[in-house]
């Protein structure tokens, strides 16, 4: 397998993680679960699975600050919109409907028209929220904080959200883009792609413990990019949150192409759909799983949202959030056809006339307030700068790093971790285009990087999907 093909399978943009959600403060990562004021750094987590799962383990007296670094503002924008959907109040959307909408936006290249309207509304609200924050010192929501991003990065977020709210008049054909990616990845094997899909599922994913991923759903996702179909309806509208820009060299010119550049092999089922505490969901009949990864994803996400709903509270007075509310436990053949539309009208958003800041804030903050929890977004290039800033010295109780961002870790990591800190690194087990030797070599490299950074391997590893390390004692 060539390096080029390997990159094409996993994609150059990470829209979801290659491993299930983890409570990053649990006994699986720490000898003793920490309590009090807690700080967790996520490097390239791609989606909010670890954020939601970690919140569920908090006690009422805990406060949690989650710091997020992604490698592009498009991934940051998607993280924000997924967190926005997670925090919608039960009055605005029922828990079951919120679960369905979340999973559609999370894992489908094409969504229902109703879901598109929800995504557009979320994008408009987030755009307005960030714009308001640029002109005031106050945070627009007690849980979501973009104030640490540079001004140009916040401007870029606003541009992305406006593009989602009002897509180009000639939208990219997602099915065409997806099929082009599949053709490029499989090459001469394209005509026998059904057999390739079946091999990847049965000989790789199922052999790695993902037997709940059904053949029907996996093959449909590999063909079309649609992973979750939980309602009767037409899944025909492009999911703008999964489209991004990639620059190609085409006949000597640099061409910006808007399309789908994420994973087309491993699937979005890995984040929420392959593990569950409910053993009934893992039952088999005639050696076949009775439930699918979609079913398990729906149950797991619903449980996370029930927790947020129970322990969060709606902001009835946005100007004075209630501090006593209980805390809650992101090729040549098709380059010419998918060029970005640079029409300035497409970057304009349809908003109401300018209002008083307080009125704008009231409009934006119709979300759950999860007391004691704040998610702070940092600049993509900030990891190397944290050790030189005093406020980050010995701060983080847990640092999580994705497989795609391991190359950014170095020995300075020790300077920003607490004495009993844990380091959790995503391994390459679910990067299906890698050979067993490459996966093993990646794990060895991860161990080497961690030890050079002052960490030692934790021997009570609960799985081989993540490598867990503990900071060495002085």
């Amino acid at each position: 397998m060539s390096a080029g093909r390997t990159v094409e399978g996993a994609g150059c943009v990470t829209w979801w993680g290659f491993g299930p959600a983890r409570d990053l403060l649990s006994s699986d990562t720490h000898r003793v679960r920490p309590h009090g004021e807690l700080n967790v750094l996520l490097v390239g987590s791609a989606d909010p699975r670890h954020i939601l799962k970690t919140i569920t383990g908090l006690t009422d007296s805990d406060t949690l600050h989650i710091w997020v670094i992604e490698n592009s503002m498009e991934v940051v924008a998607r993280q924000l919109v997924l967190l926005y959907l997670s925090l919608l109040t039960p009055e605005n959307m029922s828990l079951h409907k919120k679960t369905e909408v979340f999973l559609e936006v999370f894992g489908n290249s094409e969504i229902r028209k109703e879901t598109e309207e929800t995504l557009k509304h979320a994008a408009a609200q987030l755009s307005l929220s960030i714009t308001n924050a640029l002109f005031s010192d106050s945070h627009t929501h007690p849980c979501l904080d973009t104030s640490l991003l540079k001004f140009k990065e916040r401007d870029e977020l606003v541009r992305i959200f406006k593009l989602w709210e009002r897509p180009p008049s000639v939208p990219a054909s997602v099915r065409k883009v997806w099929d082009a990616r599949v053709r490029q990845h499989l090459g001469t094997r394209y005509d026998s792609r059904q057999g390739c899909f079946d091999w990847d599922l049965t000989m790789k994913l199922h052999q790695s413990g993902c037997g709940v991923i059904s053949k029907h759903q996996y093959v449909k996702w590999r063909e079309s990019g649609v992973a979750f179909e939980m309602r009767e309806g037409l899944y025909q509208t492009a999911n703008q949150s999964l489209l991004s820009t990639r620059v190609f060299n085409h006949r000597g010119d640099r061409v910006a192409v808007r399309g789908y550049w994420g994973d087309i092999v491993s699937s979005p089922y890995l984040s929420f759909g392959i593990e569950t505490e409910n053993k009934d969901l893992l039952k088999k009949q005639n050696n076949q799983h009775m439930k699918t990864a979609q079913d398990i994803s729906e149950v797991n996400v619903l449980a996370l949202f029930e927790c947020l709903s129970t322990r969060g509270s709606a902001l009835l007075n946005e100007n004075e959030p209630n501090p006593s509310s209980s805390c809650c436990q992101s090729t040549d053949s098709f380059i010419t056809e998918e060029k970005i539309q640079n029409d300035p009208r497409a970057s304009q958003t349809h908003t109401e006339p300018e209002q008083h800041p307080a009125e704008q804030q009231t409009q934006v903050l119709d979300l759950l307030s999860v007391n004691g929890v704040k998610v702070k977004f940092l600049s993509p290039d900030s990891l190397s700068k944290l050790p030189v800033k005093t406020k980050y010295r010995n701060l983080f109780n847990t640092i999580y790093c994705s497989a795609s961002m391991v190359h950014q870790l170095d020995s300075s990591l020790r300077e920003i971790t607490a004495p009993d800190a844990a380091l959790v690194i995503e391994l390459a087990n679910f990067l299906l285009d890698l050979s067993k030797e490459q996966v093993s070599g990646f794990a060895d490299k991860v161990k080497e990087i961690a030890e050079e950074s002052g960490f030692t391997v934790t021997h009570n590893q609960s799985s081989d999907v993540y490598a867990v390390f503990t900071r060495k004692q002085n």
Side-chain angles (χ1 to χ4, degrees), residues 14-247:
T14 307
W15 293 127
W16 45 72
F18 295 97
R22 285 285 182 270
D23 179 350
L24 297 176
L25 297 169
S26 71
S27 58
D28 288 340
T29 56
H30 290 264
R31 297 187 184 96
V32 178
R33 183 184 178 89
H35 292 286
E37 185 173 335
L38 306 168
N39 290 275
V40 173
L41 174 64
L42 302 179
V43 182
S45 60
D47 62 54
R49 68 195 188 284
H50 298 314
I51 296 175
L52 298 174
K53 187 69 174 179
T54 301
I55 289 174
T56 64
L58 297 178
T59 64
D60 289 343
S61 59
D62 291 334
T63 58
L64 175 63
H65 295 266
I66 299 175
W67 311 71
V68 179
I69 299 175
E70 298 293 353
N71 62 6
S72 77
M73 298 315 296
E74 288 161 323
V75 179
V76 171
R78 190 167 138 86
Q79 280 263 34
L80 280 166
V81 84
L82 289 172
L83 287 168
Y84 179 99
L85 294 174
S86 302
L87 293 171
L88 286 173
T89 64
E91 292 75 21
N92 285 335
M93 187 177 291
S94 71
L95 291 176
H96 284 279
K97 183 176 180 181
K98 182 163 71 170
T99 299
E100 294 168 351
V101 170
F102 178 93
L103 287 174
E104 274 189 52
V105 174
F106 176 73
N108 287 5
S109 62
E110 293 183 304
I111 54 181
R112 293 174 298 127
K113 193 68 178 177
E114 180 183 4
T115 302
E116 183 198 31
E117 293 304 316
T118 301
L119 177 60
K120 285 182 176 181
H121 178 75
Q125 295 294 288
L126 287 166
S127 174
L128 182 58
S129 169
I130 293 171
T131 301
N132 289 345
L134 289 171
F135 298 101
S136 68
D137 295 328
S138 61
H139 300 308
T140 54
H141 189 272
C143 293
L144 305 179
D145 184 358
T146 57
S147 65
L148 297 178
L149 294 172
K150 300 171 185 174
F151 284 104
K152 65 178 182 180
E153 292 164 347
R154 285 186 268 177
D155 287 340
E156 176 67 5
L157 283 179
V158 171
R159 185 196 69 80
I160 293 168
F161 287 135
K162 288 182 177 180
L163 184 62
W164 293 0
E165 186 187 359
R166 304 193 74 180
S169 56
V170 183
S173 171
V174 176
R175 294 205 174 198
K176 195 172 184 178
V177 171
W178 185 278
D179 184 66
R181 286 283 315 284
V182 174
R183 285 177 180 271
Q184 185 181 34
H185 176 247
L186 294 180
T188 57
R189 298 179 299 155
Y190 178 80
D191 290 337
S192 58
R193 59 190 178 280
Q194 294 291 327
C196 295
F197 299 161
D198 186 59
W199 176 270
D200 285 342
L201 178 64
T202 58
M203 301 306 294
K204 295 181 180 180
L205 285 172
H206 285 181
Q207 291 293 324
S208 299
C210 302
V212 294
I213 300 179
S214 74
K215 179 179 178 179
H216 171 74
Q217 290 176 347
Y218 178 76
V219 168
K220 181 174 179 60
W221 174 76
R222 288 290 299 263
E223 283 276 16
S224 66
V226 176
F228 301 102
E229 288 185 289
M230 291 160 292
R231 287 200 176 199
E232 294 289 336
L234 298 176
Y235 292 79
Q236 296 180 342
T237 305
N239 181 358
Q240 296 295 325
S241 76
L242 283 177
L243 299 179
S244 60
T245 302
R246 185 177 180 182
V247 178

